Amino acid sequence: MIQTDICIIGAGPVGLFAVFEAGLLKMRCHLIDVLPQVGGQLSEIYPHKPIYDIPGYPIVKAQELIDNQMEQIRPFAPTFTLGERVEKVEKQEDGSYIVITSDNTQVHCQAIAIAGGLGCFEPRKPELEGVDTFERKGIDYMVKNPETYRDKTLVIAGGGDSALDWTIFLSDIAKKVTLVHRSDSFRGAPDSADKVYDLAQKGKIDLLLSHNLLSVHGNGSLAQVKVANKSKEEYLLDADYLIPLYGLTPKLGPIADWGLNIDKNAIEVNTFDYSTNVERIYAIGDINTYPGKLKLILCGYHEATLMVQSAFKYVYPDQKLSFKYTTVNGVHAF
């Protein structure tokens, strides 16, 4: 059982900033995210996207912002559970909660902050014959541990940043990497595309452009992937693993069953402290809704700040907040 003060569901920019604000009030945080890394959609979908509305930064790339926030919260030593989805919450007699994930990780906390962005990201699955048969038996929709693929034969499918980045990275780990993309050009960063073309020219990967996945085959575990080119010619590729990286679809997921007031896939909150209708559960960032709501990172930071001020009473019920600032090792604290 992991013990913490606030369990934050979602490790995107708003969830990370909540860690900082909670740390100033000497509250511990544990973050849970279904993605295998922190950063939410900024890291998973558009790490190279420039962001222009962060105070003090005329321009900052999405991944750079996440990296800076991780450095900002480092003094407060947050803990993380990544690559797991929160399935349910169980309220205890004292009002606290136990949060339980898809892998049965259990977190005991005094308050919950839902910072899930647009919701629980679920992978867009290819429409392939036999795809369900080989999920977790050779078909992976996310790369959780690159060492899983050491000396294996991989087929990666997709044309965005994730497909390009993992093709580049895994080319030094896997025995063989084949990148399959249905178009003749990539959607990802031009620099990453150039690196993939260079790897193909050097024979370090096989690059199949204007190809489509058709079906998957094997006996108990994946063995082959059938593809077709523009001329409708079909052939089989040997594969220990198929990694389709077609992006993610945001869904509210199991959160929708927690008794929260929901309006159009968003959680209704009280703007006094961004609390929900369920005691000790808050919602901050793009996942919440209220009159005048703007889905901006900046607004999520504001919501996180007020949320932790409210959650303080559950963690330290016998104390009142003091707003006198001190500085310890360069870090502001109350």
Side-chain angles (χ1 to χ4, degrees):
M1 182 79 70
I2 298 169
Q3 300 288 339
T4 194
D5 295 325
I6 303 176
C7 181
I8 301 174
I9 301 172
V14 173
L16 296 178
F17 191 70
V19 174
F20 176 75
E21 290 294 326
L24 294 179
L25 301 180
K26 300 188 182 301
M27 292 188 289
R28 299 167 299 161
C29 292
H30 184 83
L31 297 91
I32 303 174
D33 202 301
V34 70
L35 296 176
Q37 74 285 317
V38 301
Q41 56 184 310
L42 267 68
S43 295
E44 181 66 19
I45 302 176
Y46 43 75
H48 303 287
K49 179 182 178 181
I51 301 174
Y52 301 99
D53 58 354
I54 303 299
Y57 289 93
I59 181 173
V60 60
K61 287 187 176 180
Q63 187 58 53
E64 182 185 356
L65 177 62
I66 295 301
D67 293 342
N68 288 344
Q69 288 196 233
M70 287 295 289
E71 179 63 22
Q72 184 183 41
I73 66 177
R74 183 178 56 80
F76 303 118
T79 52
F80 296 85
T81 295
L82 301 175
E84 299 180 26
R85 185 173 76 171
V86 172
E87 293 292 337
K88 59 181 178 178
V89 295
E90 296 180 349
K91 193 165 187 176
Q92 306 302 294
E93 290 185 2
D94 63 355
S96 63
Y97 284 96
I98 293 177
V99 180
I100 303 172
T101 75
S102 53
D103 288 358
N104 203 37
T105 299
Q106 299 188 26
V107 181
H108 181 245
C109 59
Q110 297 301 318
I112 296 172
I114 304 172
L118 297 175
C120 178
F121 289 106
E122 295 186 2
R124 290 192 177 97
K125 300 181 181 182
E127 296 182 1
L128 296 179
E129 179 185 341
V131 67
D132 294 337
T133 304
F134 297 107
E135 288 180 350
R136 299 196 177 188
K137 298 178 181 179
I139 295 181
D140 293 338
Y141 298 109
M142 296 181 186
V143 178
K144 293 185 179 180
N145 181 8
E147 284 299 314
T148 301
Y149 310 107
R150 184 168 292 279
D151 300 323
K152 302 296 184 180
T153 300
L154 310 182
V155 175
I156 298 174
D161 283 311
S162 291
L164 295 173
D165 291 345
W166 282 121
T167 296
I168 296 166
F169 187 86
L170 293 173
S171 66
D172 289 327
I173 293 178
K175 177 182 178 181
K176 181 179 181 181
V177 176
T178 301
L179 176 59
V180 179
H181 183 36
R182 62 188 177 185
S183 178
D184 59 1
S185 61
F186 293 110
R187 303 185 309 276
D191 180 67
S192 298
D194 288 343
K195 289 178 180 177
V196 166
Y197 289 130
D198 185 59
L199 288 172
Q201 290 176 353
K202 292 178 178 177
K204 292 197 67 175
I205 67 167
D206 287 344
L207 179 58
L208 301 181
L209 298 177
S210 300
H211 280 66
N212 288 302
L213 303 179
L214 294 182
S215 58
V216 286
H217 307 272
N219 184 16
S221 61
L222 183 69
Q224 292 180 313
V225 178
K226 181 182 285 188
V227 299
N229 60 22
K230 256 194 305 193
S231 301
K232 306 298 183 182
E233 297 171 327
E234 301 178 3
Y235 50 97
L236 294 170
L237 303 175
D238 291 335
D240 296 312
Y241 289 93
L242 167 65
I243 309 175
L245 297 172
Y246 292 159
L248 302 169
T249 300
K251 294 184 178 180
L252 206 53
I255 293 173
D257 301 322
W258 294 0
L260 302 168
N261 289 339
I262 306 294
D263 180 23
K264 298 178 182 177
N265 281 326
I267 302 170
E268 295 181 345
V269 293
N270 181 341
T271 53
F272 176 77
D273 58 1
Y274 299 94
S275 57
T276 70
N277 61 299
V278 178
E279 187 181 21
R280 299 197 188 205
I281 298 182
Y282 300 83
I284 54 177
D286 287 355
I287 203 163
N288 73 17
T289 184
Y290 51 86
K293 169 71 177 181
L294 291 177
K295 292 190 175 185
L296 300 173
I297 296 174
L298 180 66
C299 296
Y301 290 164
H302 160 79
E303 296 163 12
T305 303
L306 295 185
M307 178 275 294
V308 300
Q309 301 279 324
S310 176
F312 183 88
K313 63 179 177 285
Y314 299 120
V315 179
Y316 299 110
D318 298 325
Q319 296 184 28
K320 290 185 178 181
L321 281 175
S322 172
F323 294 97
K324 183 178 179 180
Y325 269 110
T326 60
T327 302
V328 180
N329 295 327
V331 177
H332 290 300
F334 287 108

